[in-house]
């Protein structure tokens, strides 16, 4: 579902949640959590605000949270503090008796919205005219359930930023080339890490229905969908140069959703879990510039008070859609469960879920 579709579907949060004090909201959230006990499960993504994370039963990346939700047979209600595609994955992996709720339906992901299923199907037909049956589709988990289902149907799989390398390697044992959606940067950075030269990568522009590439088609190993994360694209080479100039000896660590140039200049690149672990292991007094979503960077700064942890871009804003989930929306969601009429339930159509599971399972079997 695109952000626009979600907004149209959305019911608006009642005014009274906006007038309650933080203390009142926190007290009610605690009360409902206690009342429901194990019947309620609140997973919180690393990019969520602290005001919400404090109530999370578990924190993690999208895949870990979806798996924890699926393994949690006691939870009747899963209030997913993250964005829409994560709640969809949780719904796909959980059983029919479990309801997945997203506290604010406007919490989408602009990257996931860059690949809709109609364009993807159309693009596939065009690309098959060029490449025949030589492509395997892979999609980053940051994509709609329909795109995951598309990959499932065409023998492909999902990937996360933690297992992308393994999955791309596997995909290239299945077919001559991969079609990687929707994040060109994760696709490019991963393939490059595996030794595939930039010259063997083409970018598919779904709006112009054009392949951006200078060379011979037969040499293309990776076809990258022209999508990106609007948060991570704001980390630049100039930011890195500035940091190295201002803080000699600084360590630069970035997420692979950043551009290839930024990843190449950084000292380390990896998923949210990788970044968290790397800072955990770091020497006291070391200095770090982190290129990922601000809520996580702020949390790392707080947790590692013995180190200096900065945002790679000092003018960075948090991911706006992640930030849609706040205390009032969390309480609204919990009270709707308490009243017996849960709102903002995320449900993936059966047929889509069936094919999407194929793509997710191909990843889980290998990574
Ligand atoms: O998959 C996730 O949770 C995201 C969005 C990033 C990561 O690196 O964990
Ligand atoms: Fe999507 Fe980027 Fe926000 Fe992650 S940080 S949810 S990829 S827009």
């Amino acid at each position: 579902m695109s952000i626009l579709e979600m907004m149209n579907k959305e019911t608006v949060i009642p005014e009274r949640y906006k007038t309650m004090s933080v203390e009142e909201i926190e007290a009610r959230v605690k009360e409902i959590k206690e009342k429901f006990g194990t019947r309620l499960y609140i997973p919180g993504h690393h990019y969520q605000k602290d005001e919400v994370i404090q109530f999370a039963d578990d924190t993690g990346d999208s895949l870990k949270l979806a798996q924890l939700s699926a393994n949690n047979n006691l939870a009747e209600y899963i209030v997913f503090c993250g964005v829409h595609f994560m709640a969809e994955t949780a719904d796909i992996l959980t059983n029919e008796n479990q309801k997945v709720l997203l506290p604010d339906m406007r919490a989408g992901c602009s990257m996931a919205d860059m690949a809709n299923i109609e364009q993807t199907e159309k693009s596939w037909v065009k690309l098959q005219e060029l490449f025949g049956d030589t492509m395997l589709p892979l999609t980053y988990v940051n994509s709609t359930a329909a795109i995951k289902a598309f990959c499932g149907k065409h023998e492909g799989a999902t990937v996360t930023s933690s297992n992308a390398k393994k999955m791309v390697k596997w995909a290239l044992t299945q077919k001559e080339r991969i079609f990687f959606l929707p994040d060109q940067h994760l696709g490019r950075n991963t393939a490059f890490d595996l030794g595939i030269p930039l010259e063997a990568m083409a970018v598919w522009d779904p709006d112009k229905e054009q392949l951006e590439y200078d060379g011979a088609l037969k040499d293309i190993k990776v076809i990258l969908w022209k999508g990106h994360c609007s948060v991570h694209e704001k980390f630049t080479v100039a930011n890195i140069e500035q940091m190295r100039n201002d803080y000699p000896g600084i360590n630069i660590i970035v997420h692979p959703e950043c551009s290839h140039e930024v990843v190449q200049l950084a000292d380390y690149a990896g998923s949210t879990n990788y970044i968290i672990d790397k800072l955990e292991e770091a020497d006291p007094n070391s200095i770090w510039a982190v290129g990922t979503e601000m809520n996580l960077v702020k949390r790392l700064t707080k947790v590692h008070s013995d180190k200096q942890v900065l945002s790679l871009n000092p003018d960075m804003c948090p991911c706006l859609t992640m930030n849609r989930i706040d205390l009032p929306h969390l309480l609204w969601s919990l009270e709707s469960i308490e009243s017996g009429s849960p709102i903002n339930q995320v449900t993936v159509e059966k047929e889509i879920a069936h094919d999407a599971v194929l793509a997710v399972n191909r990843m889980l079997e290998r990574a």
Side-chain angles (χ1 to χ4, degrees):
M1 204 192 307
S2 72
I3 288 179
L4 198 67
E5 283 166 331
M6 277 184 253
M7 287 175 78
N8 289 340
K9 195 179 168 216
E10 181 37 14
T11 41
V12 177
I13 187 167
E15 209 44 46
R16 73 180 186 85
Y17 291 102
K18 295 182 190 154
T19 55
M20 286 172 82
S21 71
V22 170
E23 292 73 24
E24 276 176 296
I25 299 182
E26 288 182 345
R28 279 290 288 143
V29 170
K30 270 189 210 137
E31 190 184 324
I32 298 173
K33 271 189 70 129
E34 272 164 30
K35 181 168 163 187
F36 277 79
T38 52
R39 290 174 59 206
L40 171 69
Y41 178 58
I42 306 183
H45 190 267
H46 292 312
Y47 290 165
Q48 288 283 290
K49 294 176 179 185
D50 279 346
E51 66 182 55
V52 166
I53 284 292
Q54 65 172 324
F55 292 112
D57 293 306
D58 282 303
T59 57
D61 63 9
S62 58
L63 184 71
K64 176 181 161 194
L65 295 176
Q67 285 177 303
L68 285 170
S69 306
N71 293 337
N72 185 338
N73 296 322
L74 299 171
E76 245 170 87
Y77 301 101
I78 294 154
V79 176
F80 209 107
C81 294
V83 292
H84 194 265
F85 74 81
M86 301 178 181
E88 277 191 331
T89 309
D91 182 56
I92 289 168
L93 295 179
T94 48
N95 67 45
E96 287 197 353
N97 306 324
Q98 296 177 296
K99 291 186 172 53
V100 179
L101 272 62
L102 185 66
D104 186 342
M105 280 299 205
R106 296 169 305 169
C109 163
S110 55
M111 180 204 281
D113 284 348
M114 285 179 197
N116 70 45
I117 188 62
E118 291 76 21
Q119 253 184 343
T120 303
E121 301 271 14
K122 240 168 110 185
S123 299
W124 185 247
V125 172
K126 296 267 174 201
L127 287 167
Q128 275 188 320
E129 284 166 15
L130 298 176
F131 297 105
D133 183 30
T134 62
M135 300 170 292
L136 193 92
L138 286 182
T139 186
Y140 189 18
V141 283
N142 296 26
S143 54
T144 63
I147 300 292
K148 292 183 177 82
F150 168 86
C151 290
K153 249 189 328 207
H154 294 281
E155 296 163 59
T158 57
V159 316
T160 70
S161 39
S162 316
N163 59 33
K165 232 162 130 175
K166 241 189 222 168
M167 293 308 296
V168 169
K169 218 167 158 180
W170 164 77
L172 288 170
T173 63
Q174 304 298 299
K175 294 271 170 151
E176 229 172 286
R177 42 185 69 86
I178 57 165
F179 177 37
F180 193 96
L181 300 119
D183 183 15
Q184 59 170 305
H185 299 303
L186 179 66
R188 186 178 292 111
N189 288 323
T190 307
F192 190 81
D193 261 5
L194 286 169
I196 299 172
L198 293 179
E199 303 78 62
M201 301 185 210
V203 173
W204 173 254
D205 183 331
D207 295 325
K208 295 192 186 134
E209 297 189 350
Q210 238 172 44
L211 200 62
E212 296 174 1
Y213 181 66
D214 327 298
L217 286 182
K218 68 173 178 35
D219 297 331
I220 297 175
K221 296 295 288 174
V222 177
I223 302 153
L224 303 163
W225 185 268
K226 198 172 188 172
H228 63 268
C229 165
S230 37
V231 173
H232 287 86
E233 76 165 1
K234 297 209 173 65
F235 297 106
T236 62
V237 165
N239 290 145
I240 298 189
E241 286 166 353
Q242 188 72 49
M243 281 291 169
R244 295 218 193 272
N245 186 55
D246 293 351
Y247 302 90
I250 194 167
N251 299 283
I252 308 224
I253 187 163
V254 300
H255 195 279
E257 286 173 23
C258 293
S259 74
H260 182 63
E261 295 72 27
V262 165
V263 168
Q264 285 308 298
L265 278 182
D267 300 305
Y268 308 95
S271 67
T272 51
N273 285 337
Y274 173 85
I275 294 173
I276 291 166
D277 291 348
K278 205 79 197 160
L279 277 144
E280 193 68 49
E281 293 161 9
D283 290 336
N285 302 318
S286 51
I287 312 175
W288 291 80
V290 185
T292 196
E293 203 282 331
M294 270 315 288
N295 287 321
L296 176 57
V297 179
K298 275 199 222 152
R299 193 167 309 121
L300 290 168
T301 305
K302 235 194 265 177
V303 171
H304 298 290
S305 51
D306 59 334
K307 299 153 203 166
Q308 194 174 353
V309 182
L310 310 162
S311 170
L312 176 57
N313 178 346
D315 301 320
M316 200 64 189
C317 300
C319 170
L320 293 178
T321 48
M322 278 282 173
N323 265 17
R324 295 261 184 209
I325 312 295
D326 55 12
L327 267 180
H329 281 87
L330 177 59
L331 179 59
W332 181 35
S333 196
L334 297 183
E335 287 194 338
S336 78
I337 293 171
E338 192 185 37
S339 71
S341 318
I343 44 146
N344 295 339
Q345 188 181 343
V346 174
T347 36
V348 177
E349 274 172 45
K350 271 209 172 90
E351 206 178 310
I352 294 179
H354 171 272
D355 290 338
V357 161
L358 298 176
V360 174
N361 282 344
R362 280 187 197 117
M363 168 180 74
L364 295 178
E365 283 158 22
R366 287 167 184 91

